[in-house]
Amino acid sequence: MRSDFFEEIFFSSFEKLTVVSEEAKDVLGGSSIELLKEEGINHQVIKQCYGLLPEESEPKNRRWLIDGVSGLSIALLQALKPLHQNLGVLSASHRSNTFMGTPVVREIGDGDILVNDVFSGERLGQQYKTLLKQHRRKLEEALEQATGHDGSVIVFAAKKVYFNQLRLSKVLRDCGYKTVALVFDQNMVKHQAGFFDDIIYTDFISFLMLLNSVDRKLLLHTQGWLFRYHIPVLIDTYKPKHCRQIIEIMDSQSFYLPEATVSKIPDTMKMAWGENVIENHQLQLACENYIVHHADGVIFNGDDEYRQPLVKRDSPHLRNKHLAFPALPVKDFFHASNIVNQEKRLVFVGGVPPFSANRPHELFGDSQLLGLVMKLIARGCYLDIYNNPLIAAEEEYAKLYPDFIELAKRHRNFNFFIGDMPQHINQKIAHYDFGLMVYDFGGIYTGDLHFKHLIPTKLFNYLEAGLPVLVSDRFSAVCSIVKEYRIGVIINQREIEFLPEIIEMLDVAELKRNVVAAREELQMHNNIHRLTGFYEQVMA
């Protein structure tokens, strides 16, 4: 067996795929194979094979080297990092000393072993092939059973099915739909329990192989994400015409990184997304444009105007394929917030990117929050942060968030907590006075349209918890909701320093009463017919 074991496995799978949409394939050009390689490793099978190695065996006690920097290298690192502590990437030409946070070595040392050599041994190599074959057979059976339902079935397919999809699934099930989560990240399965009728893990290649050959109608609800817009385009490339794909635009590539930003900070972008980021960005823009104009259906996670800057050739037909539908509040998650604290307490719920070399301030500084937090606690504000629980385990916080941990130790008016799932977090934050959607945008290059049209899920988290919001004026779509329902205060950049004085002048009890009225009207159960009608229209 040759040493390029995983290349052989990949191409033996890839060759079984039949292109259905030449138009989608052409968007990706020559990038398709490398992009598929990034998704080409089955984590479950890797874990099973790793478990077959005896604990004290020689391979488990050596440094494993992944040969070269490629799409398969990315996939192997993602699969092996949770299993093997001593990993490296072998490359004489890679410019950096690290690749995806893993040390790059220029030559093999005495104690090193190539990952391909570990898995291409006669016993383990055959086991990998056998287990992968078994996985694909079980996947076919599981999807057949999950979608062979008399009623309507929605298949949410994504690497990480995020909180907004969990909320959609909860309400859809209440309305008689069956939902299936088809997940390409095994680590995400646990957090989705209870939100879907069925949860199935697989790798992306195995999914495409199954989808490519499926002989019945399927409705897929997928995600378009920053630097991940090629995934739904790959699905369109191999999806049979009797299946439909509705793509949810999460963060628009062109909104987040407009040309003005790209031209100003190309080196900063390389720090965040790698040496080939400019070429990758152009590819993602092409994928986004294809999705907006050619997908079976598109959902925009923002206001009704979200689609307009993205559309180049509008028509009534195209408008019928688009729906603005943010992750509205869910009544099952409502909690009463009748408390008005003497010292007003603010809370932030959401993802805080850790500080690292690949998360430069120019692109991540606003959501990293540190500057804002220091300003607010220095002015005497009481502020607690509940960080997205999917970003990192709590035991990693001292390493990933040392500044926040230190601030919490030194200031009684600040805490930094790990957050919780949607069905639990709102109860934890209901005793606060305001939900925070204020950011310090100093030195940030993210495009204006990203903030203008997006309606983040955290707005509805706060409403579910009964909290009025403080929101930056750049979030135009959110500000419109806040003004219409009188559920908070809009803050401009200059007013951040005066937040304590602004808060003191507010009638918190009245704002909380307004929140209760607003969430009753906005709740997803009252609006889900718009989404289900869209599903039915696309399937028809």
Side-chain angles (χ1 to χ4, degrees):
M1 200 172 294
R2 300 205 314 268
S3 62
D4 52 355
F5 175 72
F6 290 104
E7 287 273 342
E8 290 182 10
I9 295 291
F10 170 79
F11 279 108
S12 69
S13 300
F14 176 73
E15 288 163 3
K16 294 182 174 73
L17 291 170
T18 301
V19 171
V20 176
S21 171
E22 291 289 345
E23 188 172 23
K25 179 189 173 187
D26 289 345
V27 173
L28 298 166
S31 304
S32 295
I33 290 178
E34 202 61 26
L35 292 169
L36 281 169
K37 283 182 180 180
E38 292 182 15
E39 316 293 332
I41 299 295
N42 187 297
H43 292 207
Q44 190 178 76
V45 173
I46 287 281
K47 186 176 182 179
Q48 287 173 305
C49 287
Y50 190 83
L52 295 173
L53 295 170
E55 274 308 314
E56 298 305 318
S57 66
E58 182 190 9
K60 279 200 173 177
N61 294 319
R62 296 168 68 178
R63 179 168 67 172
W64 289 15
L65 296 183
I66 294 169
D67 194 2
V69 172
S70 67
L72 272 178
S73 304
I74 294 171
L76 280 167
L77 278 171
Q78 291 172 340
L80 289 171
K81 272 185 175 182
L83 303 173
H84 197 78
Q85 300 303 310
N86 195 2
L87 288 173
V89 175
L90 178 64
S91 174
S93 59
H94 189 60
R95 295 181 185 179
S96 173
N97 292 323
T98 62
F99 178 68
M100 290 183 64
T102 301
V104 171
V105 300
R106 307 304 173 187
E107 56 185 28
I108 301 177
D110 291 338
D112 297 335
I113 184 170
L114 291 174
V115 170
N116 268 311
D117 291 344
V118 175
F119 281 87
S120 63
E122 185 173 347
R123 177 171 174 269
L124 206 58
Q126 190 55 50
Q127 282 284 2
Y128 185 93
K129 291 179 179 179
T130 300
L131 289 168
L132 185 59
K133 188 175 181 180
Q134 290 175 355
H135 171 88
R136 287 172 176 171
R137 186 175 65 250
K138 290 178 180 176
L139 169 65
E140 184 175 2
E141 293 169 356
L143 193 61
E144 171 76 34
Q145 184 176 0
T147 57
H149 180 64
D150 291 337
S152 301
V153 182
I154 313 298
V155 180
F156 289 88
K159 187 165 187 175
K160 302 175 187 292
V161 177
Y162 277 111
F163 292 149
N164 52 327
Q165 275 78 21
L166 303 189
R167 303 157 76 89
L168 291 175
S169 177
K170 173 79 178 69
V171 179
L172 286 168
R173 292 172 73 196
D174 288 348
C175 297
Y177 282 76
K178 182 175 182 179
T179 64
V180 179
L182 215 157
V183 195
F184 312 133
D185 183 342
Q186 193 176 14
N187 298 321
M188 302 297 287
V189 170
K190 185 178 178 182
H191 94 274
Q192 293 152 357
F195 286 94
F196 300 89
D197 292 285
D198 292 288
I199 303 172
I200 303 170
Y201 163 75
T202 190
D203 61 280
F204 190 57
I205 293 288
S206 296
F207 164 69
L208 287 182
M209 290 172 67
L210 176 58
L211 179 66
N212 201 214
S213 61
V214 76
D215 59 0
R216 63 194 182 281
K217 287 185 176 182
L218 286 179
L219 177 58
L220 304 174
H221 184 132
T222 65
Q223 296 171 327
W225 200 267
L226 201 63
F227 286 102
R228 297 283 293 174
Y229 281 94
H230 59 277
I231 295 295
V233 178
L234 283 166
I235 292 173
D236 257 16
T237 302
Y238 300 106
K239 172 182 66 65
K241 294 190 182 298
H242 53 263
C243 296
R244 297 287 185 269
Q245 179 182 199
I246 291 177
I247 303 160
E248 188 170 353
I249 301 286
M250 305 292 287
D251 286 324
S252 164
Q253 187 84 19
S254 55
F255 286 4
Y256 195 89
L257 293 169
E259 182 54 40
T261 292
V262 175
S263 62
K264 288 177 182 174
I265 54 168
D267 292 337
T268 304
M269 288 175 60
K270 289 177 183 178
M271 290 170 59
W273 293 295
E275 286 295 320
N276 68 337
V277 64
I278 304 302
E279 297 84 355
N280 191 4
H281 174 60
Q282 293 303 317
L283 176 65
Q284 298 300 324
L285 291 178
C287 290
E288 182 180 84
N289 182 62
Y290 166 86
I291 288 166
V292 169
H293 293 92
H294 300 288
D296 298 321
V298 183
I299 294 173
F300 300 98
N301 200 355
D303 65 5
D304 291 335
E305 310 302 316
Y306 197 116
R307 65 182 293 277
Q308 290 184 3
L310 298 172
V311 172
K312 295 179 180 176
R313 302 180 305 278
D314 207 356
S315 68
H317 173 70
L318 188 62
R319 285 192 288 274
N320 286 337
K321 293 169 65 174
H322 292 171
L323 175 70
F325 197 85
L328 298 166
V330 178
K331 65 182 180 181
D332 305 71
F333 304 155
F334 286 2
H335 287 277
S337 181
N338 301 318
I339 297 172
V340 177
N341 296 290
Q342 185 171 356
E343 295 177 298
K344 302 299 183 294
R345 307 189 76 88
L346 314 181
V347 64
F348 177 90
V349 172
V352 181
F355 296 94
S356 61
N358 67 336
R359 295 180 180 90
H361 175 84
E362 293 88 340
L363 294 165
F364 298 92
D366 54 337
S367 54
Q368 286 170 330
L369 297 178
L370 184 61
L372 175 71
V373 168
M374 293 176 69
K375 286 179 182 178
L376 294 182
I377 62 177
R379 290 294 330 275
C381 289
Y382 283 77
L383 171 62
D384 291 345
I385 293 175
Y386 288 82
N387 192 22
N388 185 333
L390 304 181
I391 289 181
E394 192 168 12
E395 53 267 25
E396 298 180 74
Y397 272 31
K399 175 185 175 183
L400 297 176
Y401 301 104
D403 295 309
F404 284 124
I405 301 302
E406 184 60 30
L407 281 173
K409 287 178 182 176
R410 291 193 284 111
H411 297 272
R412 70 180 185 89
N413 55 331
F414 175 70
N415 292 289
F416 190 79
F417 300 120
I418 189 167
D420 211 332
M421 298 300 293
Q423 68 271 38
H424 304 305
I425 187 65
N426 300 324
Q427 185 175 6
K428 291 185 176 182
I429 66 172
H431 64 280
Y432 291 87
D433 295 289
F434 291 96
L436 193 66
M437 296 184 70
V438 173
Y439 296 86
D440 186 344
F441 297 107
I444 302 300
Y445 283 83
T446 307
D448 282 332
L449 290 176
H450 171 72
F451 302 107
K452 182 177 181 178
H453 295 297
L454 186 68
I455 303 179
T457 306
K458 65 169 56 65
L459 169 66
F460 303 118
N461 270 134
Y462 295 145
L463 300 192
E464 288 165 349
L467 303 183
V469 296
L470 304 172
V471 58
S472 290
D473 61 356
R474 284 185 82 178
F475 287 95
S476 302
V478 176
C479 291
S480 295
I481 296 171
V482 168
K483 285 191 285 189
E484 179 179 353
Y485 292 96
R486 294 179 295 170
I487 53 173
V489 179
I490 298 163
I491 304 294
N492 65 43
Q493 190 78 5
R494 297 182 302 278
E495 291 173 325
I496 291 176
E497 288 188 44
F498 306 104
L499 212 52
E501 291 81 2
I502 293 170
I503 291 170
E504 280 304 313
M505 294 188 293
L506 300 175
D507 186 336
V508 178
E510 182 183 358
L511 289 171
K512 288 191 173 186
R513 287 192 295 270
N514 294 345
V515 166
V516 171
R519 71 185 186 184
E520 284 296 330
E521 182 177 332
L522 291 168
Q523 64 166 293
M524 194 181 295
H525 283 82
N526 290 344
N527 293 276
I528 197 67
H529 63 278
R530 295 177 54 236
L531 180 63
T532 56
F534 188 61
Y535 284 157
E536 292 165 8
Q537 176 183 306
V538 169
M539 286 304 287

